[in-house]
Structures are given as structure tokens and as C-alpha cells.
């Protein structure tokens, strides 16, 4: 069926052809239904320099080819449909800086080994007032607001509209809650293959922000918008299945083990490249105010500070909550929905290939009883440290391609330099009288 015919059947008047750039920003063109068939075949044209793609104004246009197999009809605006797109040059060659294509590349590498990667994400966000940097609910003041029933139901209209949207899209959402920070929420839906989850992750952020705006609020996934409160994580659950999608290869039949040897090797690869992985899992200056942060108002940050794994223990970078998957607790709300799983897969597959032993499991409380630095490696202290680690990491250089890593590092170093040139209020308060 042509997309124009589908549009007629579903009452769709416009299509958003959307791609996600290197900084995780969604770019789109709004295409009327009568023109969608041509756009679907030939692509919507964009000037690459206008997005974060490491291009110049002298470069030719790029073409966004939408994926009709991943179409989301906006639950709050039924006459519009959103489709994620892959970027190609006018010569038909793929644009190497496209995050969605990088994820597809990693999934293909897994497929050649007989693996199907499945993921699920837990996206945390704050609801703020529309016109200032304040929590939208003035009554949400509890020191431990996690699961607060009153605070949750005061935002019932927003939360239920988002959940209804996921239900209508067939995502199988199964719970919504008020999170550990005042004004913070989390919504969970069923896991799926990694590309489907990534597309849903990208659309979820757009949907949450849009529905929040229609209700008079502003939603943010910023890693650490408030210094004294828990930050926004993007906990990622990972499992590998056989190519038929019937057998979970991370599940262990031996009751003495949490996961299979394959899973531990995958974890070993992530731990080995963890500092470089942070460049994608924690991609902003602000990200490093969430990890390694001091105690928050609730008494815990719920974010890791060491490169370690554990059982059902939320104080470590990797948690093993069950016998069929692990949870990477490193990533935050700024993580690119496509580059995050791509980097996880790349480092994990390297662990399997090299049969990397993750070492002993850590069962201590890393917040109250931390191990000394000679016993456990620390996460990067800032974005610059993470970028320098990525620059030296051969695993991700090889998996993503040297040209992609070079483009990513170039733009991220520029961002770091811009931050360093900015004079903060802290500097003025503490050094103006020197």
C-alpha cells in the first residue's frame, strides 16, 4: 500500500519525516500526504550543515529516506504521522554520520553472529513550569518523593495522556510512577528488538515534550537540572536472543549463575570500554553532574560512580535483576536513542569475541562503602575525559568507523570548548574579588 493510500485510510494529512543528528536533536520536514509517495521513494532534502552532522555549507544536500515500517500516528494529533529516516547523499551513498544507520550497522554485525539484540529503556523526565526553571507542582516537596501517590495523581492528566498514547501505538506500557526527585516521572513499556526500541525512545521524547506543552508544562530529559535532586537516567535493559527470537542466550540453566557465560562476556566488554562508552551514554557537560555526584535530597543519587557490576544492587554501573538480562544504569536522558544501544552492542560484542572476563561481582553498597580506586576503576570525571577515552578506544573506532568517530569527537570537542569559554555564576561569585 502506498503511504498516500494509508494516509487516506487513517485520516493522516501530514507526515513528519524525522532524523536524529549526532547530538540527539530531532530534525524534520512536514510533508503533506499528497506528496508523501515521492518523498518516501526519493527522500526529503536537507542541508547537512544545518544539523549537527559535521558538514559544511559547501556540501551537497542530504536526503532523508523515511522508514515506513516504523510509522507513528501522533496520538495527540491524529492527522499527523511521524517516521524516522535514514540519511543518504544525492549520490545514493549512506551518510556515515547518521546515528540510526550506525545502530543498523551494529545490529547487522550481531546478526552475522546469529544474535538478535533486544533492549528496553526507562526514560526519566521532569515536568517543569512552562516559563521558568521550576518544578511545576509547588506541593511536590517531599524529601523522599519516589512513588508518591499524591504527587503522581496531581499530574494524572499528563501521565495518563502519554500512557494512553503508548497504548494506542501498541507499545504495551505497563507502569507509570513518580520518580526519586521532586517533579520527576518514569514510564515503562515492553522491550523489543533494539531498532524498534530506539525508534520508540526517540518518539517518546517527542511525545512527552509535546503533551507536556499542550497541558501547560515543559518536560525535560536533562541529566541533572537540579543540583540537590536525583538526575534523569536512561537505564537500558539488554538481552541477546538467537536469530529465531525464541531462545534468550543470556538465560542460564545453572541456578548458581545469574546469567549465561555469553552474557558475562558481553558485560566484560562493556566494562572494558566503559570510559569510552560514557561519550555516548553521558554525552553532555551536564551528564557528569549526575554520575559521581554527591548525595541528593532523597539520600541517594541512583546513578553509578564506579565501573562495576552487581546482582540486584542499584548502586553499581550494571545491575543483574533477573536470570535473563542485565541493566546498564550508566546512561542519562541526554543519550542519543540510536548511538547509546549501538555503543552497548559494539562493546558487548567485543567482549564476546575476546571472551572477556568481567571479574568478580561487587555486592557492596558503593554509596556508603566505596572501594578504593586501586580496587575498582572510576567513571570519567567530565565530558573531556570521556572524549579522550573514546579517542583512544579501538573497539568503538573499529565498530563505528574512524570517520564517524572523528566527526563525533570534532563536534563534541567544540562543545566542550564552548562550555569552557562560558563564564559561570559560580566563577563570578568566587573569583570576582580576587
Amino acid at each position: 500500500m502506498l503511504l498516500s493510500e494509508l494516509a487516506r485510510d487513517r485520516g493522516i494529512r501530514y507526515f513528519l519525516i524525522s532524523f536524529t543528528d549526532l547530538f540527539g536533536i530531532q530534525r524534520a520536514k512536514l510533508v503533506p500526504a499528497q506528496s508523501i509517495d515521492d518523498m518516501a521513494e526519493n527522500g526529503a532534502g536537507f542541508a547537512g550543515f544545518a544539523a549537527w552532522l559535521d558538514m559544511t555549507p559547501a556540501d551537497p544536500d542530504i536526503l532523508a529516506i523515511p522508514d515506513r515500517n516504523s510509522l507513528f500516528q501522533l496520538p495527540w494529533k491524529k492527522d499527523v504521522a511521524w517516521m524516522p529516516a535514514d540519511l543518504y547523499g544525492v549520490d545514493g551513498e549512506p551518510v556515515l554520520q547518521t546515528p540510526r544507520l550506525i545502530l543498523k550497522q551494529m545490529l547487522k554485525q550481531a546478526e552475522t553472529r546469529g544474535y538478535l539484540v533486544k533492549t528496553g529503556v526507562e526514560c526519566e523526565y521532569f515536568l517543569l513550569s512552562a516559563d521558568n526553571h521550576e518544578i511545576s507542582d509547588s506541593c511536590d516537596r517531599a524529601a523522599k518523593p519516589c512513588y508518591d501517590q499524591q504527587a503522581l495523581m496531581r499530574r494524572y492528566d499528563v501521565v495518563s495522556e502519554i500512557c494512553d498514547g503508548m497504548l494506542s501505538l501498541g507499545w504495551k506500557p505497563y507502569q507509570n510512577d513518580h520518580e526519586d526527585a521532586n517533579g520527576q516521572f518514569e514510564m515503562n513499556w515492553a522491550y523489543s528488538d533494539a531498532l524498534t526500541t530506539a525508534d520508540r525512545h526517540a518518539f517518546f521524547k517527542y511525545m512527552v515534550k509535546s503533551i507536556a506543552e499542550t497541558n501547560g508544562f515543559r518536560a525535560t530529559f536533562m541529566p541533572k537540572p537540579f543540583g540537590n535532586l536525583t538526575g534523569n537516567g536512561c537505564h537500558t535493559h539488554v538481552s541477546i536472543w538467537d536469530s529465531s527470537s525464541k531462545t534468550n542466550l543470556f538465560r542460564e540453566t545453572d541456578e548458581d549463575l545469574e546469567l549465561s557465560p555469553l552474557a558475562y562476556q558481553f558485560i566484560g566488554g562493556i566494562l572494558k570500554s566503559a570510559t569510552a562508552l560514557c561519550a555516548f551514554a553521558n554525552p553532555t557537560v551536564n551528564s557528569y553532574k549526575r554520575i559521581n555526584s554527591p548525595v541528593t535530597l532523597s539520600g541517594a543519587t541512583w546513578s553509578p560512580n564506579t565501573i562495576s557490576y552487581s546482582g540486584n544492587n542499584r548502586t553499581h554501573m550494571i545491575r543483574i535483576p533477573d536470570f535473563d538480562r542485565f541493566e546498564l544504569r550508566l546512561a542519562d536522558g541526554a543519550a542519543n536513542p540510536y548511538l547509546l544501544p549501538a555503543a552497548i552492542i559494539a562493546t558487548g560484542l567485543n567482549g564476546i569475541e575476546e571472551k572477556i572476563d568481567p571479574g568478580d561481582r561487587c555486592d557492596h553498597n558503593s554509596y556508603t562503602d566505596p572501594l578504593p580506586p586501586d580496587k575498582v576503576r572510576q567513571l570519567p570525571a567530565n565530558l573531556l575525559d570521556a572524549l579522550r577515552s573514546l579517542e583512544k578506544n579501538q573497539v568503538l573506532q573499529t565498530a563505528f568507523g574512524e570517520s564517524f568517530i572523528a566527526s563525533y569527537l570534532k563536534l563534541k570537542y567544540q562543545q566542550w570548548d564552548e562550555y569552557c569559554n562560558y563564564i559561570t555564576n559560580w566563577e563570578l561569585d568566587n573569583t570576582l574579588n580576587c
Side-chain angles (χ1 to χ4, degrees):
M1 178 186 290
L2 294 173
L3 283 173
S4 59
E5 296 173 345
L6 182 147
R8 184 183 62 246
D9 292 346
R10 295 193 186 181
I12 297 171
R13 297 175 57 232
Y14 290 93
F15 289 81
L16 273 172
I17 298 180
S18 174
F19 71 89
T20 301
D21 69 17
L22 291 175
F23 284 8
I25 299 173
Q26 294 182 34
R27 315 284 182 167
K29 284 196 172 180
L30 188 63
V31 177
Q34 66 185 34
S35 302
I36 192 60
D37 292 333
D38 177 64
M39 292 289 182
E41 181 177 354
N42 300 310
F46 291 82
F49 178 69
W52 295 110
L53 291 170
D54 188 26
M55 294 184 173
T56 75
D59 287 319
D61 281 355
I62 54 176
L63 301 172
I65 308 294
D67 185 348
R68 62 173 296 145
N69 294 318
S70 189
L71 182 149
F72 301 83
Q73 192 166 354
L74 275 55
W76 67 97
K77 196 181 292 291
K78 292 284 190 180
D79 59 343
V80 179
W82 179 92
M83 286 192 294
D86 296 324
L87 299 179
Y88 292 85
V90 292
D91 58 359
E93 292 298 313
V95 175
L96 299 179
Q97 300 99 313
T98 309
R100 194 170 188 267
L101 287 177
I102 290 293
L103 175 57
K104 284 185 171 182
Q105 181 178 311
M106 293 304 100
L107 292 173
K108 189 172 183 179
Q109 289 189 18
E111 184 182 352
T112 61
R113 294 167 169 82
Y115 302 146
L116 174 66
V117 182
K118 296 189 180 184
T119 59
V121 290
E122 302 174 9
C123 300
E124 297 171 342
Y125 63 92
F126 282 86
L127 285 177
L128 308 179
S129 298
D131 54 356
N132 57 46
H133 175 219
E134 293 182 2
I135 294 166
S136 64
D137 183 358
S138 61
C139 295
D140 192 350
R141 301 175 180 173
K144 282 186 175 292
C146 201
Y147 313 126
D148 188 310
Q149 180 173 278
Q150 293 296 122
L152 173 65
M153 293 307 291
R154 281 196 297 271
R155 289 293 171 261
Y156 172 81
D157 289 346
V158 179
V159 172
S160 63
E161 185 175 352
I162 297 168
C163 190
D164 286 344
M166 289 191 284
L167 286 166
S168 69
L169 292 167
W171 295 10
K172 300 180 181 178
Y174 55 89
Q175 64 183 13
N176 313 288
D177 66 70
H178 189 293
E179 268 298 322
D180 190 62
N182 307 109
Q184 187 185 44
F185 300 86
E186 179 182 291
M187 313 180 75
N188 304 126
W189 67 88
Y191 70 93
S192 188
D193 66 273
L195 182 62
T196 296
T197 294
D199 285 340
R200 290 175 176 176
H201 182 183
F203 184 78
F204 178 78
K205 296 181 76 171
Y206 170 53
M207 177 165 62
V208 168
K209 292 176 181 178
S210 298
I211 291 176
E213 288 177 4
T214 62
N215 283 271
F217 306 119
R218 180 184 183 185
T220 180
F221 294 83
M222 181 179 177
K224 188 76 167 178
F226 301 98
N228 65 330
L229 300 179
T230 303
N232 284 323
C234 182
H235 304 151
T236 305
H237 294 255
V238 182
S239 58
I240 283 184
W241 299 62
D242 67 356
S243 57
S244 70
S245 188
K246 293 181 180 178
T247 302
N248 184 340
L249 301 179
F250 275 9
R251 184 181 291 275
E252 179 55 69
T253 56
D254 185 342
E255 294 182 359
D256 293 333
L257 295 175
E258 286 79 9
L259 296 174
S260 68
L262 186 83
Y264 282 111
Q265 292 170 1
F266 196 100
I267 289 172
I270 291 177
L271 295 175
K272 177 183 177 182
S273 295
T275 56
L277 177 62
C278 284
F280 298 109
N282 313 99
T284 70
V285 170
N286 180 257
S287 295
Y288 297 84
K289 295 182 179 178
R290 171 184 166 267
I291 59 175
N292 300 320
S293 63
V295 174
T296 62
L297 184 65
S298 71
T301 66
W302 301 103
S303 59
N305 49 40
T306 58
I307 300 172
S308 53
Y309 80 99
S310 185
N312 202 346
N313 179 335
R314 287 179 168 87
T315 68
H316 294 271
M317 191 183 91
I318 290 178
R319 177 175 76 107
I320 302 175
D322 210 336
F323 298 106
D324 57 359
R325 70 190 189 282
F326 69 83
E327 175 192 44
L328 179 68
R329 299 180 58 79
L330 178 63
D332 60 49
N336 189 302
Y338 300 100
L339 295 181
L340 170 62
I344 292 172
I345 294 167
T347 55
L349 289 180
N350 175 253
I352 293 175
E353 183 177 346
E354 296 188 5
K355 295 182 170 55
I356 296 175
D357 183 351
D360 294 334
R361 195 178 87 176
C362 298
D363 291 322
H364 65 286
N365 184 333
S366 69
Y367 298 160
T368 61
D369 188 25
L371 294 177
D374 63 329
K375 298 292 185 182
V376 64
R377 290 191 298 149
Q378 303 295 307
L379 291 168
N382 51 56
L383 179 61
L384 180 61
D385 288 348
L387 295 177
R388 286 173 172 169
S389 181
L390 175 61
E391 194 168 12
K392 299 175 182 176
N393 185 275
Q394 291 302 310
V395 173
L396 288 165
Q397 291 268 0
T398 301
F400 286 11
E402 291 183 2
S403 62
F404 175 88
I405 296 296
S407 291
Y408 186 80
L409 287 171
K410 174 185 173 182
L411 295 177
K412 280 296 176 180
Y413 278 135
Q414 289 176 359
Q415 192 177 52
W416 175 260
D417 290 342
E418 181 181 350
Y419 162 70
C420 290
N421 290 328
Y422 181 76
I423 307 302
T424 65
N425 288 334
W426 185 93
E427 292 170 278
L428 295 175
D429 290 342
N430 288 274
T431 58
L432 192 62
N433 293 326
C434 286

